[in-house]
Amino acid sequence: MKQIGTGIVILFVLISLGIVGLGYLQQNQPEPQATPLELTLTVNPMAQDWMVDAVALFNTSEARFVDDVVITIALNPTPIEDITVWSGNTWNNQNRPDLWLASTAFSIEHANAFNMTFNSVNTPLAQTPLVWVTSADVADAITQDGMLLLDWDAVQQAANAGTWANFGATNLQGNVNMAFSLPDSTIEGLMVLYSASAYYSRNLDFSNLLSPSSDFKTWFAPIVDSVPNFYTIGADVATFMVSRGASVNIGIMPEVKLLNQIDAFTRNRTIRVSYPEYPVVFDFSLAIAIDQNLSFDDNNTRQQAIQAFVDWLLAPEQQSQLPRYGLRPIATSPTPNDELFRKGTDVGVQYDPIISPYLTGEESAYSRNLMSWFTQERTR
């Protein structure tokens, strides 16, 4: 019996040692390595500052882990204008990035019409509307001290007069000078043409429209003539207006551009901000390059990784950061705690303006015809 007992003890010890040894081996096994997946991203200039910080945060967050994949977003330090993408001279289906943050959803459709192949996430990630920015004395003159809306009709009548003397504004001197970006080379400028066209036609849906009417062209021509020199404006109307002071009386630009220059704008003059009656909104939609060479499994992994990035950008804690860059969250409004917007309220920026519904249905043919007409009008 003593031998049996001893054998049982020995067996127990051996089993215990085996269990301990197995646990030790398991603890000291190398952890499975996550498969790295890098996604390249290029964005519209209006979103670059936001994306620099957002990408840096995402790349150190837990959100970058999807199953056994670790995602890295590689942001191109050089942003790209939407219309540059449409031209087809910069990207092709071999050298384009995996992801492109366009300023508008329709930009993605336009790029595809110009021989790109992108899918859209169909989810806006941020927004900024076009706004009017005028000197206070000019705003009083063209709105008859607030009796009229500061919008396209008031601006067109002033531009048509040519000079403030002809307009009857005795307290103002010189020409009626307006500023907006070049519509045939910047998406901001093109959307100004769409804004005017929407107002003139009292319409926000441009589906199936192929060309602007001759009446609209005649009506808008004085506004084109009121811009002293498009080439000196460049892509940033806000910077241009700040540098020119009171000599440029009226501008229309993305709200984000105004807010990021709000201190410079208000340092030397009083300005007024107004929102067009027919809103035009940049809604920053994400385009996904289609890669036909990926296997089904690899493509599925890629889609899951992209969705993880999108979900992270749409999370409340990330959306709440947008006002720091002069951009608006999708589902909420800025508050007095957001410094740029708080400063903007002193000149007419609103926390919750009416910007929905906004312009939709822009056709690539209509855009091409608008740009072509503008180029001819500007050089005539």
Side-chain angles (χ1 to χ4, degrees):
M1 291 294 293
K2 184 176 181 180
Q3 289 179 339
I4 294 174
T6 302
I8 293 173
V9 170
I10 293 172
L11 180 62
F12 176 78
V13 171
L14 289 173
I15 292 173
S16 299
L17 288 172
I19 292 172
V20 171
L22 180 61
Y24 177 81
L25 288 172
Q26 289 176 336
Q27 289 177 2
N28 287 274
Q29 286 290 323
E31 293 186 4
Q33 293 295 310
T35 303
L37 175 61
E38 181 179 272
L39 297 170
T40 53
L41 168 66
T42 302
V43 307
N44 177 275
M46 289 186 282
Q48 184 75 7
D49 289 345
W50 163 42
M51 274 293 117
V52 166
D53 291 342
V55 164
L57 284 173
F58 176 82
N59 286 341
T60 58
S61 73
E62 291 300 313
R64 73 190 192 280
F65 294 102
V66 177
D67 296 332
D68 61 346
V69 172
V70 58
I71 310 159
T72 299
I73 305 296
L75 176 66
N76 189 335
T78 304
I80 191 167
E81 252 295 334
D82 292 24
I83 292 180
T84 302
V85 176
W86 306 351
S87 71
N89 297 324
T90 302
W91 292 346
N92 55 45
N93 289 332
Q94 284 71 48
N95 69 358
R96 65 194 173 176
D98 298 303
L99 303 172
W100 166 41
L101 186 61
S103 69
T104 63
F106 94 84
S107 268
I108 301 170
E109 298 172 6
H110 279 34
N112 289 336
F114 285 88
N115 299 318
M116 292 284 101
T117 51
F118 286 105
N119 282 333
S120 173
V121 172
N122 292 325
T123 303
L125 300 178
Q127 52 188 351
T128 192
L130 279 180
V131 295
W132 289 107
V133 181
T134 63
S135 301
D137 51 358
V138 168
D140 290 339
I142 65 178
T143 64
Q144 298 177 20
D145 293 322
M147 297 296 291
L148 304 175
L149 290 175
L150 203 173
D151 212 341
W152 282 108
D153 260 345
V155 170
Q156 195 274 345
Q157 290 173 25
N160 196 43
T163 67
W164 291 113
N166 289 342
F167 187 70
T170 56
N171 62 318
L172 299 173
Q173 297 180 344
N175 295 327
V176 177
N177 289 332
M178 188 175 172
F180 56 93
S181 295
L182 269 170
D184 49 3
S185 61
T186 70
I187 188 65
E188 300 165 31
L190 176 60
M191 296 310 279
V192 169
L193 296 190
Y194 267 108
S195 175
S197 189
Y199 182 90
Y200 185 81
S201 62
R202 304 297 194 267
N203 176 37
L204 283 171
D205 186 356
F206 279 68
S207 301
N208 302 317
L209 292 180
L210 298 179
S211 182
S213 69
S214 57
D215 288 346
F216 167 75
K217 295 175 183 178
T218 300
W219 176 82
F220 195 77
I223 296 172
V224 177
D225 294 338
S226 73
V227 178
N229 189 333
F230 278 101
Y231 289 112
T232 59
I233 295 175
D236 194 334
V237 179
T239 298
F240 174 77
M241 287 189 69
V242 166
S243 67
R244 292 305 176 97
S247 66
V248 178
N249 324 110
I250 306 167
I252 183 168
M253 66 192 71
E255 184 184 56
V256 63
K257 293 290 185 73
L258 162 71
L259 289 173
N260 280 288
Q261 294 269 18
I262 191 67
D263 289 334
F265 259 115
T266 57
R267 186 173 296 122
N268 297 315
R269 60 171 162 168
T270 304
I271 61 169
R272 300 267 178 82
V273 175
S274 177
Y275 295 83
E277 180 182 358
Y278 291 81
V280 170
V281 176
F282 302 90
D283 55 13
F284 299 100
S285 295
L286 193 66
I288 305 168
I290 299 171
D291 190 342
Q292 304 285 2
N293 297 319
L294 290 178
S295 67
F296 177 83
D297 288 342
D298 286 346
N299 187 63
N300 188 53
T301 298
R302 184 173 182 258
Q303 293 298 322
Q304 290 178 340
I306 293 168
Q307 191 60 51
F309 181 51
V310 170
D311 291 344
W312 186 83
L313 291 172
L314 289 173
E317 52 272 32
Q318 302 310 319
Q319 287 282 296
S320 68
Q321 299 303 307
L322 287 169
R324 291 176 51 202
Y325 306 94
L327 295 166
R328 293 178 176 271
I330 296 300
T332 59
S333 299
T335 72
N337 293 325
D338 298 311
E339 184 181 14
L340 292 180
F341 283 87
R342 184 178 69 251
K343 290 180 177 180
T345 59
D346 293 336
V347 296
V349 172
Q350 299 177 28
Y351 290 120
D352 191 19
I354 299 174
I355 57 173
S356 182
Y358 55 83
L359 185 73
T360 60
E362 303 92 328
E363 298 282 348
S364 60
Y366 191 88
S367 295
R368 284 196 297 267
N369 287 329
L370 265 180
M371 291 188 288
S372 176
W373 165 75
F374 170 81
T375 300
Q376 294 174 6
E377 182 65 27
R378 177 172 55 84
T379 57
R380 65 180 172 83

